[in-house]
Amino acid sequence: MTRQLHLNAFLMGTGHHEASWRLPQSDPTATTSVAHFQHLAQVAERGTFDSLFLADGPVMMGNVAQRPSGVIEPLTLLTALALVTERVGLIATASTSYNSPYNLARRFSGLDHVSNGRAGWNIVTTAGIEAARNFGVDEQPLHADRYARAAEFLDVTLKLWDSWEDDVFVGDKAAGVWGDNTKIHLADHRGKYFSVAGALNSPRSPQAYPLLVQAGSSDDGKDFAARYAEAVFTAQQTLGDAQAFYGDLKSRTHREGRDPNGIKILPGIVPILGSTESEAREREAELGEHIVHEHGQLMLSRLLRVPIDQLDLDSQLPDDLPPESEIEDFKSRYSLIVELGRREHLTVRQLIGRLGGGRGHFTFAGTPEQVADIIELWFTNGAADGFNIMPPLLPSGLELFVEHVVPILRDRGLFRREYTGVTLRDHYGLARPSNQYVRELSDSVAI
Amino acid sequence: MTRQLHLNAFLMGTGHHEASWRLPQSDPTATTSVAHFQHLAQVAERGTFDSLFLADGPVMMGNVAQRPSGVIEPLTLLTALALVTERVGLIATASTSYNSPYNLARRFSGLDHVSNGRAGWNIVTTAGIEAARNFGVDEQPLHADRYARAAEFLDVTLKLWDSWEDDVFVGDKAAGVWGDNTKIHLADHRGKYFSVAGALNSPRSPQAYPLLVQAGSSDDGKDFAARYAEAVFTAQQTLGDAQAFYGDLKSRTHREGRDPNGIKILPGIVPILGSTESEAREREAELGEHIVHEHGQLMLSRLLRVPIDQLDLDSQLPDDLPPESEIEDFKSRYSLIVELGRREHLTVRQLIGRLGGGRGHFTFAGTPEQVADIIELWFTNGAADGFNIMPPLLPSGLELFVEHVVPILRDRGLFRREYTGVTLRDHYGLARPSNQYVRELSDSVAI
């Protein structure tokens, strides 16, 4: 078996293109339609995708005049999909800054139980003062503090998920003995951010831990990923950048004492598909025409900390932007945008067009063959272990990808024709984690 | 249409009888089997039950040697059942002491969206130091403080669920205007326990609020119920006690300025069914024989704050128990147990038998006719608006109830033959709540 691609369907209402809701075929209320997401999940599963994924922040962002707003909380939505799908992984974003480890450990354990081992957790630290203020926090926590809290959060949840050894259950009906108390372990955690005394009130789940996913590309984010993550979503605009990121993160993972193959790196790609290249370009142009540039101007002004009157639509970005080191929120996204604008000498209008198409992710318009070529090129040249597929328009963009790109990838031997495992960890070729409280057999043998 | 019963299926692993797991037909791992709960949900829906219900505490209770332990977090489990059921309400327990209003408001809004309006929230304040210690709290909050926090929690979540007026959506594709920002309302809440600045990031759900359910029968609990609850679960051992509780709670609700019909009172009943009375009694005896009295002795010792050596199995309860006013946790359950023991002059062994059968709820062994008679008696004599059905054994106890008791209740005109509405509020005959930020039409007319 040659090395295989991992494909994740990053779902997003009417699609990742910010103007997608304005196209005639789009349902502008799709964002809160469970039927829409059920259909997408079943399409992804037909395409033998490894997983579905939903982003999240516990905050009402932006402005409902501009574009579809309001969501169904992702872990809830993916849990609802667990019994109407069979194999596709279900990766929900949840914040380490605005949750309690005990509650969140229960929720992911529960999703893993009901889905028979298909839960994944995209671990985020949640930037922005607006989210903080929904949780009684009046000052935005600093970037480094957020990551320190995230690391302790992970340590606690890993303890909780190991609370039950796998063989707690005895089930002696005659004697009236249900389980073995000696195989239950208290978290007994007292740290800087959390105190959690007890054991999780749930047996160890099919995967033990959800697949651990991370998506921040700052230095803190990469160090965190190297320590904990099993899959990483990232935004990379060029093969060179993607190779550099890939090499850097694999090295950091190795330095953490982990197998670099145990962390799969999935850059985002926004594939705009057409049966010919010109049809694809027409679709891209049609989407671009629906962008409202004034909205993008406002968004850039906030993200780059520049007054809006210094962002002339027909000029390039101002020269005197602050360095990334001074930025506390959305660090890696900040650098990506500034570098994209400078490298390609884009006007603000052009930059808004590029960002509106895929929010900083790599956008590519072409035929299914051309999209498959790009995927293969990155996959076989040290830039990717798979891709985070971000259709510009939904459901059609995912349907087209599954009908036309997936078969090419299969014919080239790069992607599975059918699921060979049951759990999300199976799809990723990862073993079920051992229990930190159980002495490994090999240790005992060594004595 | 005559007044109709409300029936709720209180689900619990292998059943409410503590020895249920030891019977030959029981699956002792049912507690974490989603297939088991899916089957139960579908049986309840066949019986046109108003709802399913799951209890919860964010803590590992007791001792796995004694009986099945470990659960799937209830809001997660019920969310998983949303797409494999159509009409039955889904009532999950969640704590106001160990959640953030913003997160929990999102989760119930999400369940209400995915279930098309079938969410219910059993609001609990969560007693016990063990739960507190899972959330960094080293001292058990006092009973009155827990209820004060619960009231503020409710006020915040009601604001959040009203963040979006029902007509935010504009959907003008041509103009590029998706929604109307003037119809979004910030919570802007600063209270003693919570600060929540923003709006919920989800449109108002089909029911607007989940059905609000409460189950504490202490004075604080009853006052809280009178103010917020739309359904109340309660443990009552006799018709007289149930009538007194019913009258008291309806009066308190009236004094809060609410319609007493807007709060439905559902005592628990543990129906042990047989095709003859003696068959039912045999089943009860069979279950009773499987109780391990030493476990019950330990549980009573903790709940009553009495050293275990003062709880002789063949004597009555000690005389010198503290008054309820000195009890901070499980207040109403404490009084119920003490009163039951004293009133019926039960030995500790007999008391354990009664509690093991239904944890303080009314247990009744008889034929389907006899169970229907009891239900009708309480329902038509000011003691109940419906019942919390707590089968001693699952799935069989729920199957028997749906096959044999429900048809009798239907034939007597006391219970629906089919669902007439879609949402849980429809089943309860409750209107969708108006939005607190929208001036009522009647107010405008009055000016």
Side-chain angles (χ1 to χ4, degrees), chain B residues 64-108:
Chain B
V64 305
Q66 280 177 229
R67 66 176 72 102
S69 199
V71 294
I72 298 172
E73 192 274 324
L75 197 41
T76 299
L77 178 53
L78 291 173
T79 300
L81 298 178
L83 296 195
V84 293
T85 52
E86 291 184 2
R87 294 296 180 91
V88 72
L90 306 165
I91 302 178
T93 299
S95 172
T96 53
S97 297
Y98 305 116
N99 277 293
S100 307
Y102 201 88
N103 286 341
L104 200 63
R106 294 187 77 194
R107 295 185 69 193
F108 277 105

CSV table of all heavy atoms in Angstrom, one decimal, chain B residues 64-108:
chain,number,residue,atom,x,y,z
B,64,VAL,N,-18.2,1.5,41.2
B,64,VAL,CA,-18.5,0.7,40.1
B,64,VAL,C,-18.7,-0.8,40.4
B,64,VAL,O,-19.2,-1.6,39.6
B,64,VAL,CB,-17.4,0.8,38.9
B,64,VAL,CG1,-17.3,2.2,38.5
B,64,VAL,CG2,-16.1,0.2,39.3
B,65,ALA,N,-18.2,-1.2,41.6
B,65,ALA,CA,-18.5,-2.6,42.0
B,65,ALA,C,-20.0,-2.9,42.2
B,65,ALA,O,-20.4,-3.9,41.8
B,65,ALA,CB,-17.7,-2.9,43.3
B,66,GLN,N,-20.7,-1.9,42.7
B,66,GLN,CA,-22.1,-2.1,43.0
B,66,GLN,C,-23.1,-2.2,41.9
B,66,GLN,O,-24.0,-3.0,42.0
B,66,GLN,CB,-22.6,-0.8,43.8
B,66,GLN,CG,-22.2,-0.9,45.2
B,66,GLN,CD,-22.6,0.4,45.9
B,66,GLN,OE1,-21.8,1.0,46.6
B,66,GLN,NE2,-23.8,0.8,45.7
B,67,ARG,N,-22.9,-1.3,40.9
B,67,ARG,CA,-23.9,-1.3,39.9
B,67,ARG,C,-23.4,-0.6,38.6
B,67,ARG,O,-22.3,0.1,38.7
B,67,ARG,CB,-25.2,-0.6,40.4
B,67,ARG,CG,-25.1,0.9,40.7
B,67,ARG,CD,-26.4,1.4,41.1
B,67,ARG,NE,-26.8,1.0,42.4
B,67,ARG,CZ,-26.7,1.7,43.5
B,67,ARG,NH1,-26.3,2.9,43.4
B,67,ARG,NH2,-27.1,1.2,44.7
B,68,PRO,N,-24.1,-0.7,37.5
B,68,PRO,CA,-23.6,0.0,36.3
B,68,PRO,C,-23.2,1.4,36.5
B,68,PRO,O,-23.9,2.2,37.2
B,68,PRO,CB,-24.7,-0.1,35.3
B,68,PRO,CG,-25.5,-1.4,35.8
B,68,PRO,CD,-25.4,-1.3,37.3
B,69,SER,N,-22.1,1.9,36.0
B,69,SER,CA,-21.6,3.2,36.2
B,69,SER,C,-21.1,3.7,34.9
B,69,SER,O,-20.9,3.0,33.9
B,69,SER,CB,-20.5,3.1,37.2
B,69,SER,OG,-20.3,4.4,37.8
B,70,GLY,N,-21.0,5.1,34.8
B,70,GLY,CA,-20.5,5.7,33.6
B,70,GLY,C,-21.7,5.9,32.6
B,70,GLY,O,-22.5,5.0,32.5
B,71,VAL,N,-21.7,7.1,32.1
B,71,VAL,CA,-22.8,7.4,31.2
B,71,VAL,C,-22.3,8.1,29.9
B,71,VAL,O,-21.1,8.5,29.9
B,71,VAL,CB,-23.8,8.4,31.9
B,71,VAL,CG1,-24.5,7.7,33.0
B,71,VAL,CG2,-23.1,9.6,32.4
B,72,ILE,N,-23.1,8.3,28.9
B,72,ILE,CA,-22.9,9.2,27.9
B,72,ILE,C,-23.5,10.5,28.3
B,72,ILE,O,-24.7,10.6,28.7
B,72,ILE,CB,-23.5,8.7,26.5
B,72,ILE,CG1,-22.8,7.4,26.1
B,72,ILE,CG2,-23.3,9.8,25.4
B,72,ILE,CD1,-23.5,6.7,24.9
B,73,GLU,N,-22.8,11.6,28.2
B,73,GLU,CA,-23.3,12.9,28.7
B,73,GLU,C,-24.7,13.1,28.0
B,73,GLU,O,-24.8,13.0,26.8
B,73,GLU,CB,-22.3,14.0,28.3
B,73,GLU,CG,-22.5,15.4,28.9
B,73,GLU,CD,-23.5,16.2,28.1
B,73,GLU,OE1,-23.4,16.1,26.9
B,73,GLU,OE2,-24.3,16.9,28.7
B,74,PRO,N,-25.7,13.5,28.8
B,74,PRO,CA,-27.1,13.4,28.3
B,74,PRO,C,-27.4,14.3,27.1
B,74,PRO,O,-28.1,13.9,26.2
B,74,PRO,CB,-28.0,13.8,29.5
B,74,PRO,CG,-27.1,13.7,30.6
B,74,PRO,CD,-25.7,13.7,30.2
B,75,LEU,N,-26.9,15.5,27.1
B,75,LEU,CA,-27.3,16.4,26.0
B,75,LEU,C,-26.6,15.9,24.7
B,75,LEU,O,-27.2,16.0,23.7
B,75,LEU,CB,-26.7,17.8,26.4
B,75,LEU,CG,-27.3,19.1,25.6
B,75,LEU,CD1,-28.7,19.0,25.3
B,75,LEU,CD2,-26.9,20.3,26.4
B,76,THR,N,-25.5,15.3,24.9
B,76,THR,CA,-24.8,14.6,23.7
B,76,THR,C,-25.7,13.5,23.2
B,76,THR,O,-25.9,13.3,22.0
B,76,THR,CB,-23.4,14.2,24.1
B,76,THR,OG1,-22.6,15.3,24.5
B,76,THR,CG2,-22.7,13.5,23.0
B,77,LEU,N,-26.1,12.6,24.1
B,77,LEU,CA,-26.8,11.4,23.8
B,77,LEU,C,-28.2,11.8,23.1
B,77,LEU,O,-28.5,11.2,22.1
B,77,LEU,CB,-27.0,10.5,25.0
B,77,LEU,CG,-27.9,9.3,24.8
B,77,LEU,CD1,-27.3,8.4,23.7
B,77,LEU,CD2,-27.9,8.5,26.1
B,78,LEU,N,-28.9,12.8,23.7
B,78,LEU,CA,-30.2,13.2,23.1
B,78,LEU,C,-30.0,13.9,21.8
B,78,LEU,O,-30.8,13.7,20.9
B,78,LEU,CB,-30.9,14.0,24.1
B,78,LEU,CG,-31.4,13.3,25.4
B,78,LEU,CD1,-32.0,14.2,26.4
B,78,LEU,CD2,-32.4,12.2,25.0
B,79,THR,N,-28.9,14.6,21.6
B,79,THR,CA,-28.6,15.2,20.3
B,79,THR,C,-28.4,14.2,19.3
B,79,THR,O,-28.9,14.3,18.1
B,79,THR,CB,-27.4,16.2,20.4
B,79,THR,OG1,-27.7,17.2,21.4
B,79,THR,CG2,-27.1,16.8,19.1
B,80,ALA,N,-27.7,13.1,19.6
B,80,ALA,CA,-27.5,12.0,18.7
B,80,ALA,C,-28.8,11.4,18.3
B,80,ALA,O,-29.0,10.8,17.2
B,80,ALA,CB,-26.6,10.9,19.3
B,81,LEU,N,-29.8,11.4,19.2
B,81,LEU,CA,-31.1,10.8,18.9
B,81,LEU,C,-32.0,11.7,18.0
B,81,LEU,O,-33.1,11.2,17.5
B,81,LEU,CB,-31.8,10.3,20.2
B,81,LEU,CG,-31.1,9.3,21.0
B,81,LEU,CD1,-31.9,9.0,22.3
B,81,LEU,CD2,-30.8,8.0,20.2
B,82,ALA,N,-31.6,12.9,17.9
B,82,ALA,CA,-32.5,13.9,17.2
B,82,ALA,C,-32.9,13.5,15.8
B,82,ALA,O,-34.1,13.7,15.4
B,82,ALA,CB,-31.9,15.3,17.3
B,83,LEU,N,-31.9,13.0,15.1
B,83,LEU,CA,-32.2,12.7,13.6
B,83,LEU,C,-32.8,11.3,13.4
B,83,LEU,O,-33.1,10.9,12.3
B,83,LEU,CB,-31.0,12.9,12.8
B,83,LEU,CG,-30.4,14.4,12.7
B,83,LEU,CD1,-29.5,14.5,11.6
B,83,LEU,CD2,-31.6,15.4,12.5
B,84,VAL,N,-32.9,10.5,14.5
B,84,VAL,CA,-33.5,9.1,14.3
B,84,VAL,C,-34.8,9.1,15.1
B,84,VAL,O,-35.3,8.0,15.3
B,84,VAL,CB,-32.5,8.0,14.8
B,84,VAL,CG1,-31.3,8.0,13.9
B,84,VAL,CG2,-32.1,8.2,16.3
B,85,THR,N,-35.4,10.2,15.5
B,85,THR,CA,-36.7,10.3,16.0
B,85,THR,C,-37.4,11.5,15.3
B,85,THR,O,-36.7,12.3,14.7
B,85,THR,CB,-36.7,10.6,17.5
B,85,THR,OG1,-35.8,11.7,17.8
B,85,THR,CG2,-36.2,9.4,18.3
B,86,GLU,N,-38.7,11.6,15.4
B,86,GLU,CA,-39.4,12.7,14.7
B,86,GLU,C,-40.2,13.6,15.6
B,86,GLU,O,-40.3,14.8,15.4
B,86,GLU,CB,-40.3,12.1,13.7
B,86,GLU,CG,-39.5,11.5,12.5
B,86,GLU,CD,-40.4,11.0,11.4
B,86,GLU,OE1,-41.6,11.1,11.5
B,86,GLU,OE2,-39.8,10.4,10.5
B,87,ARG,N,-40.8,13.1,16.6
B,87,ARG,CA,-41.7,13.9,17.4
B,87,ARG,C,-41.5,13.9,18.9
B,87,ARG,O,-41.9,14.9,19.6
B,87,ARG,CB,-43.2,13.4,17.2
B,87,ARG,CG,-43.7,13.5,15.7
B,87,ARG,CD,-43.8,15.0,15.4
B,87,ARG,NE,-44.3,15.1,14.0
B,87,ARG,CZ,-45.6,15.2,13.7
B,87,ARG,NH1,-46.5,15.2,14.6
B,87,ARG,NH2,-45.9,15.4,12.4
B,88,VAL,N,-40.8,13.0,19.4
B,88,VAL,CA,-40.7,12.9,20.9
B,88,VAL,C,-39.7,14.0,21.4
B,88,VAL,O,-38.7,14.2,20.8
B,88,VAL,CB,-40.3,11.4,21.3
B,88,VAL,CG1,-38.8,11.2,20.9
B,88,VAL,CG2,-40.5,11.2,22.8
B,89,GLY,N,-40.1,14.6,22.5
B,89,GLY,CA,-39.3,15.6,23.1
B,89,GLY,C,-38.0,15.0,23.7
B,89,GLY,O,-38.0,13.9,24.1
B,90,LEU,N,-37.0,15.8,23.8
B,90,LEU,CA,-35.6,15.4,24.3
B,90,LEU,C,-35.2,16.3,25.4
B,90,LEU,O,-34.7,17.4,25.2
B,90,LEU,CB,-34.7,15.4,23.1
B,90,LEU,CG,-35.1,14.7,21.8
B,90,LEU,CD1,-34.3,15.1,20.6
B,90,LEU,CD2,-35.1,13.2,22.0
B,91,ILE,N,-35.4,15.8,26.6
B,91,ILE,CA,-35.1,16.6,27.8
B,91,ILE,C,-33.8,16.2,28.5
B,91,ILE,O,-33.7,15.1,29.0
B,91,ILE,CB,-36.3,16.5,28.8
B,91,ILE,CG1,-37.6,17.0,28.1
B,91,ILE,CG2,-36.0,17.4,30.0
B,91,ILE,CD1,-38.8,16.9,29.1
B,92,ALA,N,-32.8,17.1,28.4
B,92,ALA,CA,-31.5,16.8,29.0
B,92,ALA,C,-31.3,17.6,30.3
B,92,ALA,O,-31.7,18.8,30.4
B,92,ALA,CB,-30.4,17.1,28.0
B,93,THR,N,-30.7,17.0,31.3
B,93,THR,CA,-30.3,17.7,32.5
B,93,THR,C,-29.0,18.4,32.3
B,93,THR,O,-28.1,17.8,31.7
B,93,THR,CB,-30.2,16.6,33.6
B,93,THR,OG1,-31.4,16.0,33.8
B,93,THR,CG2,-29.7,17.3,34.9
B,94,ALA,N,-28.9,19.6,32.7
B,94,ALA,CA,-27.7,20.4,32.7
B,94,ALA,C,-27.6,21.3,33.9
B,94,ALA,O,-28.6,21.8,34.3
B,94,ALA,CB,-27.5,21.1,31.4
B,95,SER,N,-26.4,21.5,34.4
B,95,SER,CA,-26.2,22.2,35.7
B,95,SER,C,-26.0,23.7,35.5
B,95,SER,O,-25.2,24.1,34.6
B,95,SER,CB,-24.9,21.6,36.3
B,95,SER,OG,-24.6,22.4,37.5
B,96,THR,N,-26.6,24.5,36.3
B,96,THR,CA,-26.3,25.9,36.3
B,96,THR,C,-25.1,26.3,37.1
B,96,THR,O,-24.6,27.4,37.0
B,96,THR,CB,-27.5,26.7,36.8
B,96,THR,OG1,-27.9,26.2,38.1
B,96,THR,CG2,-28.7,26.6,35.9
B,97,SER,N,-24.7,25.4,37.9
B,97,SER,CA,-23.5,25.7,38.7
B,97,SER,C,-22.2,25.4,38.0
B,97,SER,O,-21.2,26.1,38.3
B,97,SER,CB,-23.5,24.8,40.0
B,97,SER,OG,-24.7,25.2,40.8
B,98,TYR,N,-22.2,24.5,37.0
B,98,TYR,CA,-20.9,24.1,36.4
B,98,TYR,C,-21.0,24.3,34.9
B,98,TYR,O,-20.4,23.5,34.2
B,98,TYR,CB,-20.6,22.7,36.9
B,98,TYR,CG,-20.5,22.7,38.4
B,98,TYR,CD1,-21.4,21.9,39.1
B,98,TYR,CD2,-19.6,23.5,39.1
B,98,TYR,CE1,-21.3,21.9,40.5
B,98,TYR,CE2,-19.6,23.5,40.5
B,98,TYR,CZ,-20.5,22.7,41.2
B,98,TYR,OH,-20.4,22.7,42.5
B,99,ASN,N,-21.7,25.3,34.4
B,99,ASN,CA,-21.7,25.6,33.0
B,99,ASN,C,-21.6,27.1,32.9
B,99,ASN,O,-21.9,27.9,33.8
B,99,ASN,CB,-23.0,25.1,32.3
B,99,ASN,CG,-22.9,23.7,31.9
B,99,ASN,OD1,-22.1,23.3,31.0
B,99,ASN,ND2,-23.7,22.8,32.5
B,100,SER,N,-21.2,27.6,31.7
B,100,SER,CA,-21.3,29.0,31.3
B,100,SER,C,-22.6,29.2,30.6
B,100,SER,O,-22.9,28.4,29.7
B,100,SER,CB,-20.1,29.4,30.4
B,100,SER,OG,-18.9,29.0,30.9
B,101,PRO,N,-23.3,30.3,30.9
B,101,PRO,CA,-24.5,30.5,30.1
B,101,PRO,C,-24.4,30.6,28.6
B,101,PRO,O,-25.2,30.0,27.9
B,101,PRO,CB,-25.0,31.9,30.7
B,101,PRO,CG,-24.4,32.0,32.0
B,101,PRO,CD,-23.0,31.3,31.9
B,102,TYR,N,-23.3,31.2,28.1
B,102,TYR,CA,-23.1,31.3,26.7
B,102,TYR,C,-23.0,29.9,26.0
B,102,TYR,O,-23.7,29.6,25.0
B,102,TYR,CB,-21.9,32.2,26.3
B,102,TYR,CG,-22.0,32.7,24.9
B,102,TYR,CD1,-22.7,33.9,24.7
B,102,TYR,CD2,-21.5,32.0,23.8
B,102,TYR,CE1,-22.8,34.4,23.4
B,102,TYR,CE2,-21.6,32.5,22.5
B,102,TYR,CZ,-22.3,33.7,22.3
B,102,TYR,OH,-22.4,34.2,21.0
B,103,ASN,N,-22.2,29.0,26.6
B,103,ASN,CA,-22.0,27.7,26.0
B,103,ASN,C,-23.3,26.9,26.1
B,103,ASN,O,-23.7,26.2,25.2
B,103,ASN,CB,-20.9,26.9,26.8
B,103,ASN,CG,-19.5,27.4,26.4
B,103,ASN,OD1,-19.3,28.1,25.4
B,103,ASN,ND2,-18.6,27.1,27.3
B,104,LEU,N,-24.0,26.9,27.3
B,104,LEU,CA,-25.1,26.1,27.4
B,104,LEU,C,-26.3,26.6,26.6
B,104,LEU,O,-27.0,25.8,26.0
B,104,LEU,CB,-25.5,26.0,28.9
B,104,LEU,CG,-26.4,24.8,29.2
B,104,LEU,CD1,-25.7,23.5,28.9
B,104,LEU,CD2,-26.9,24.8,30.6
B,105,ALA,N,-26.4,27.9,26.5
B,105,ALA,CA,-27.5,28.5,25.6
B,105,ALA,C,-27.3,28.0,24.2
B,105,ALA,O,-28.2,27.7,23.5
B,105,ALA,CB,-27.4,30.0,25.7
B,106,ARG,N,-26.0,28.0,23.7
B,106,ARG,CA,-25.7,27.5,22.4
B,106,ARG,C,-26.1,26.0,22.2
B,106,ARG,O,-26.7,25.6,21.2
B,106,ARG,CB,-24.2,27.6,22.1
B,106,ARG,CG,-23.7,29.0,22.0
B,106,ARG,CD,-22.3,29.0,21.5
B,106,ARG,NE,-22.2,28.8,20.1
B,106,ARG,CZ,-21.1,28.5,19.4
B,106,ARG,NH1,-20.0,28.2,20.1
B,106,ARG,NH2,-21.1,28.3,18.1
B,107,ARG,N,-25.8,25.2,23.2
B,107,ARG,CA,-26.1,23.8,23.1
B,107,ARG,C,-27.6,23.5,23.0
B,107,ARG,O,-28.0,22.7,22.2
B,107,ARG,CB,-25.4,23.0,24.3
B,107,ARG,CG,-23.9,23.1,24.3
B,107,ARG,CD,-23.3,22.2,25.4
B,107,ARG,NE,-23.5,20.8,25.1
B,107,ARG,CZ,-23.4,19.8,25.9
B,107,ARG,NH1,-23.0,20.1,27.2
B,107,ARG,NH2,-23.5,18.6,25.5
B,108,PHE,N,-28.4,24.1,23.9
B,108,PHE,CA,-29.8,23.9,23.8
B,108,PHE,C,-30.4,24.5,22.5
B,108,PHE,O,-31.3,23.9,21.9
B,108,PHE,CB,-30.5,24.4,25.1
B,108,PHE,CG,-30.4,23.4,26.2
B,108,PHE,CD1,-29.6,23.6,27.3
B,108,PHE,CD2,-31.2,22.2,26.1
B,108,PHE,CE1,-29.5,22.6,28.3
B,108,PHE,CE2,-31.1,21.3,27.1
B,108,PHE,CZ,-30.2,21.5,28.2
